[in-house]
Amino acid sequence: MHLTRFRLNTARGGARRLLASPRAMHAAVMNAFPEVLPTDTDTPRVLWRVDRNAKAEVFLYIVSPTPPDLTHVVEQAGWKQRPNWQTYDYGPFLSRLAKGDTWAFRLTANPVHSIRRGDGEPTKVTAHVTPRHQMQWLLQRQEAAGFRILEKPREQRLLPEGDEYELLVHERRDRSFDKPAEDREAKTKERERQKRRVTLVTATFDGRLEVVDPESLRHTLTHGLGRAKAYGCGLMTLAPVG
């Protein structure tokens, strides 16, 4: 596995177009792997995430089985006179993860749940929209994902409830876009347009965790957590605490 970081040149129109459309960014990422054909049904998982640290400090992270070739992204959204991306062998880091290790983490996810509005009706996937419910979504998945989010010491808790964990939710976004039409006729049909409409609610989580199951955590880091992985969700990265 490989971990890649690419800094986007936000002064360029191409970068702004990619950042405005998860579908366009997904296409740009997948085009970085010439060995993967669009018709492949068993394509190895490629995860990606955009981190907006500041207006002029925006990074694209990619986790992939093979190193990407991002030359085409440089041409539309990078700098031509400097290195734009770095790719690292992810294997040694993953193999060193051990039970009891503590790490800072970041995850952008699509927190959703299934609801049934009435008896006999099918369930419907619905997004969590409040920070409290989005936190609960992650807390409910932490054990199966191989980690435990650390709890704050009591003296550091500012609120009587909802402030127990080393966890922050930010960059909450509500996106809506169309999937590409399969044929020209479908573009003119409202029903088909609604079927192709994608509504995506995302949230970014920053926090601290303890490794409880290294093998499960390795799977989470390389296969993602939650839904909408094609649209920039599910990629968790770790960093030293401090």
Side-chain angles (χ1 to χ4, degrees):
M1 297 300 292
H2 296 79
L3 173 66
T4 299
R5 186 177 79 160
F6 182 105
R7 185 181 176 192
L8 292 155
N9 183 354
T10 55
R12 301 188 65 179
R16 294 192 293 272
R17 284 190 290 272
L18 290 177
L19 292 171
S21 170
R23 186 169 65 83
M25 185 67 82
H26 169 69
V29 169
M30 295 311 299
N31 285 336
F33 301 94
E35 70 279 6
V36 177
L37 299 176
T39 54
D40 287 348
T41 58
D42 57 349
T43 300
R45 171 60 63 190
V46 174
L47 302 172
W48 62 272
R49 186 185 78 218
V50 171
D51 283 5
R52 296 171 172 83
N53 299 331
K55 184 176 180 180
E57 187 178 316
V58 179
F59 292 98
L60 169 66
Y61 288 89
I62 301 172
V63 167
S64 56
T66 58
D69 180 357
L70 294 166
T71 304
H72 61 294
V73 185
V74 174
E75 293 172 352
Q76 60 182 310
W79 287 268
K80 295 184 179 180
Q81 304 300 324
R82 52 165 291 178
N84 286 259
W85 81 87
Q86 303 83 37
T87 297
Y88 307 94
D89 184 355
Y90 210 13
F93 173 80
L94 295 171
S95 66
R96 290 196 301 268
L97 292 174
K99 186 174 181 179
D101 288 350
T102 57
W103 296 92
F105 73 88
R106 174 167 288 182
L107 165 71
T108 294
N110 171 223
V112 298
H113 63 130
S114 296
I115 62 172
R116 180 177 283 111
R117 299 188 182 278
D119 293 339
E121 291 188 6
T123 58
K124 181 180 180 181
V125 176
T126 304
H128 288 299
V129 296
T130 67
R132 181 171 67 88
H133 287 107
Q134 290 169 344
M135 283 186 180
Q136 285 299 318
W137 175 88
L138 182 57
L139 292 169
Q140 290 167 359
R141 287 157 178 77
Q142 59 181 339
E143 182 177 353
F147 61 89
R148 178 182 67 86
I149 297 175
L150 298 179
E151 294 187 19
K152 292 181 180 179
R154 289 192 176 275
E155 63 272 14
Q156 294 183 12
R157 300 178 186 180
L158 303 179
L159 301 173
E161 294 185 21
D163 194 33
E164 301 95 333
Y165 296 96
E166 296 269 5
L167 182 61
L168 173 68
V169 182
H170 62 103
E171 285 287 326
R172 297 165 58 237
R173 293 174 177 268
D174 191 344
R175 314 289 289 273
S176 186
F177 52 93
D178 286 337
K179 290 182 179 180
E182 294 183 359
D183 55 62
R184 185 173 301 174
E185 183 181 359
K187 295 181 181 180
T188 66
K189 296 181 180 180
E190 179 65 18
R191 181 177 299 177
E192 292 298 325
R193 191 190 71 81
Q194 292 297 330
K195 287 182 179 180
R196 293 186 287 108
R197 195 69 176 168
V198 177
T199 299
L200 187 66
V201 175
T202 64
T204 297
F205 302 88
D206 284 342
R208 296 185 179 189
L209 60 78
E210 177 185 347
V211 181
V212 297
D213 184 339
E215 190 59 36
S216 294
L217 182 56
R218 279 190 279 269
H219 186 274
T220 298
L221 296 175
T222 55
H223 290 76
L225 184 60
R227 300 165 64 98
K229 297 181 181 71
Y231 299 125
C233 297
L235 174 55
M236 172 183 278
T237 50
L238 306 182
V241 172

